[in-house]
């Protein structure tokens, strides 16, 4: 019998996600490597790096290639989209990052500007306590904003301008990865100290550590969904929500209960939303059009709802955090 949409016990949920045959290399476009080369050549003019990561993937969201350059400059890590992240393990996240050498961390929401005011004082302190080579006397601070696509780099810049300059948008924001195309737009964000930020296009590592890391990055919108497959992503989302026992999706779509079978869930979602499509079916008397649930439209809605926070906050790196050595804190 096909798993019906009823409450399944957690014991019957999948314990792992089948990753067979997925070619993660195809998901991440090659133009990003070019961006990285240009960014490297501008590093000399830069006083500090502000790295933005999605707070839902504080560990998997890093780019090992960017990391190579980070040791050279003062570095602030902004974990953005805190409103979408389940942060009960915040202390553990900070400890884990500290163990990786990332001691300056701030959680932000660049839509509501929460905690954004902490960014400039933190950067100013970092620069003040570092050696600025030939720019020691230069009153202008130049900060490079880096991070994988769609984490909110442009939103952070706009939020800083709202906070410190009372000015509107200087850089384009978008829900899809790769909105920032022009490498290195230089944008003023503060008068005292005089501070400019360089917005950069999102850069992803050409080699993602594992397919699961690739799926987490894709779930957070760092690549275009169709490259991974909307239904694959929806399935990974369902698997994650169930494993973390997050059943908000059941209430959001008015389902009868939690279920671990994506075909079943998408079918119900499509019916609830009235997302159907005409399909030609060959019968003994010829072709007839029948209405079928649109699985792809349902998958798109499921992903959109997750990304707008309607399915509740999530910590996608829970597995990585659980594999951490226990904290030495009392
Ligand atoms: N919920 C939530 N959404 C955010 C936050 N910050 C940014 N966003 C949204 O995330 C999406 C991407 O934001 P951008 O600022 O364009 O991201 P980016 O890193 O500059 O993107 P690229 O240009 O692709 O590198 C937009 O839809 C923003 O509105 C946040 O703190 N919370």
């Amino acid at each position: 019998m096909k798993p019906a949409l009823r409450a399944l016990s957690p014991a019957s949920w999948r314990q792992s996600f089948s990753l067979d045959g997925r070619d993660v290399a195809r998901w991440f476009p090659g133009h990003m490597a070019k961006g990285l080369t240009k960014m490297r050549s501008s590093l000399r003019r830069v006083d500090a790096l502000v790295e933005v990561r999605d707070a839902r993937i504080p560990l998997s969201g890093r780019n090992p290639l960017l990391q190579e350059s980070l040791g050279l400059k003062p570095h602030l890590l902004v974990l953005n989209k805190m409103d979408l992240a389940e942060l009960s393990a915040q202390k553990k996240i900070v400890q884990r990052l500290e163990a990786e050498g990332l001691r300056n961390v701030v959680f932000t929401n660049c839509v509501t500007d929460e905690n954004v005011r902490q960014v400039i004082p933190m950067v100013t302190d970092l620069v003040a306590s570092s050696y600025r080579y030939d720019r020691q006397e230069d009153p202008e601070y130049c900060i490079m904003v880096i991070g994988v696509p769609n984490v909110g780099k442009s939103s952070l810049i706009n939020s800083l301008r709202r906070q410190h300059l009372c000015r509107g948008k200087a850089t384009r924001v978008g829900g899809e990865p790769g909105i920032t195309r022009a490498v290195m737009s230089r944008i003023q964000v503060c008068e005292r100290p005089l501070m400019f930020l360089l917005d950069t296009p999102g850069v992803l590592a050409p080699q993602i550590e594992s397919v699961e890391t690739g799926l987490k990055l894709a779930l957070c919108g760092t690549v275009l969904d169709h490259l991974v497959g909307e239904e694959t992503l929806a399935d990974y989302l369902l698997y994650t929500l169930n494993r973390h026992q997050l059943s908000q999706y059941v209430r959001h779509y008015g389902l009868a209960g939690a279920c671990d079978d994506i075909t079943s869930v998408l079918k119900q979602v499509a019916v609830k939303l009235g997302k159907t499509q005409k399909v030609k079916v060959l019968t003994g008397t010829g072709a007839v059009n029948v209405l079928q649930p649109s699985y792809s439209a349902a998958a798109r809605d499921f992903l959109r709802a997750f990304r707008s926070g309607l399915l509740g906050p999530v910590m996608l790196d829970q597995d990585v955090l659980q594999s951490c050595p226990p904290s030495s804190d009392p």
Side-chain angles (χ1 to χ4, degrees):
M1 191 183 91
K2 227 173 147 30
L5 204 77
R6 59 187 148 71
L8 295 182
S9 70
S12 60
W13 289 340
R14 288 169 287 179
Q15 295 303 305
S16 63
F17 188 76
S18 168
L19 304 166
D20 301 342
R22 293 190 167 90
D23 182 6
V24 78
R26 284 189 310 118
W27 302 348
F28 301 101
H31 74 260
M32 293 187 180
K34 249 195 227 164
L36 188 63
T37 310
K38 283 203 178 172
M39 282 162 66
R40 276 211 187 106
S41 65
S42 309
L43 266 179
R44 233 167 26 92
R45 295 189 281 134
V46 165
D47 296 301
L49 297 167
V50 170
E51 182 189 359
V52 187
R53 286 187 199 169
D54 191 309
R56 290 168 293 182
I57 41 172
L59 303 165
S60 306
R62 68 169 171 260
N63 179 331
L65 272 184
L66 289 178
Q67 218 80 7
E68 277 173 28
S69 337
L70 299 182
L72 307 171
K73 299 281 175 186
H75 175 211
L76 174 69
L77 177 62
V78 172
L79 293 176
N80 189 39
K81 306 198 183 185
M82 64 183 286
D83 52 310
L84 303 179
E86 199 285 304
L87 291 175
S88 56
Q90 184 164 345
K91 202 170 157 203
K92 202 165 186 186
I93 296 168
V94 171
Q95 283 172 343
R96 176 68 183 255
L97 291 165
E98 239 174 54
E100 290 182 10
L102 300 168
R103 271 179 295 278
N104 307 292
V105 180
V106 60
F107 290 83
T108 59
N109 175 346
C110 288
V111 175
T112 61
D113 300 335
E114 194 176 349
N115 291 350
V116 172
R117 267 206 176 268
Q118 295 177 27
V119 171
I120 287 186
M122 285 173 94
V123 171
T124 310
D125 284 354
L126 280 171
V127 176
S129 56
S130 71
Y131 182 62
R132 296 177 72 205
Y133 300 96
D134 51 341
R135 286 184 318 286
Q136 207 63 9
E137 304 302 320
D138 193 340
E140 272 182 34
Y141 285 15
C142 182
I143 313 299
M144 190 187 277
V145 181
I146 58 174
V148 301
N150 210 37
V151 286
K153 298 179 295 298
S154 304
S155 300
L156 173 67
I157 293 176
N158 291 332
S159 173
L160 286 168
R161 282 170 61 85
R162 277 196 299 273
Q163 297 280 303
H164 296 277
L165 295 177
C166 299
R167 288 199 203 145
K169 275 184 195 168
T171 178
R172 215 177 129 205
V173 167
E176 290 201 332
I179 289 290
T180 311
R181 287 273 181 227
V183 189
M184 309 302 163
S185 21
R186 191 169 177 272
I187 300 154
Q188 187 185 351
V189 289
C190 190
E191 202 69 56
R192 281 176 200 203
L194 186 54
M195 192 177 284
F196 292 87
L197 295 194
L198 295 179
D199 192 10
T200 60
V203 174
L204 268 176
Q207 231 180 353
I208 302 296
E209 281 162 23
S210 69
V211 180
E212 187 142 11
T213 300
L215 283 165
K216 288 180 188 177
L217 284 159
L219 213 44
C220 292
T222 59
V223 280
L224 295 171
D225 291 343
H226 71 85
L227 293 174
V228 180
E230 281 149 349
E231 288 168 47
T232 301
L233 267 181
D235 193 17
Y236 184 69
L237 173 58
L238 181 68
Y239 159 77
T240 305
L241 295 175
N242 284 339
R243 269 192 85 199
H244 296 188
Q245 299 183 21
L246 300 169
S247 53
Q248 176 72 21
Y249 76 92
V250 175
R251 288 186 290 283
H252 178 73
Y253 288 111
L255 309 180
C259 174
D260 210 16
D261 178 66
I262 191 64
T263 311
S264 247
V265 171
L266 291 183
K267 186 175 181 181
Q268 295 296 317
V269 169
V271 170
K272 291 263 175 198
L273 300 176
K275 306 262 185 204
T276 49
Q277 61 191 7
K278 269 189 197 151
V279 182
K280 249 191 190 128
V281 176
L282 280 177
T283 66
T285 53
V288 288
N289 284 327
V290 291
L291 274 182
Q292 274 196 353
S294 169
Y295 291 94
S296 55
R300 272 196 296 280
D301 197 88
F302 194 35
L303 292 169
R304 187 198 49 75
F306 164 70
R307 288 172 182 152
S308 10
L310 294 170
L311 308 185
V314 177
M315 175 44 60
L316 294 171
D317 270 346
Q318 198 168 291
D319 52 341
V320 189
L321 284 164
Q322 273 162 359
S323 69
C324 288
S327 145
S328 56
D329 271 15

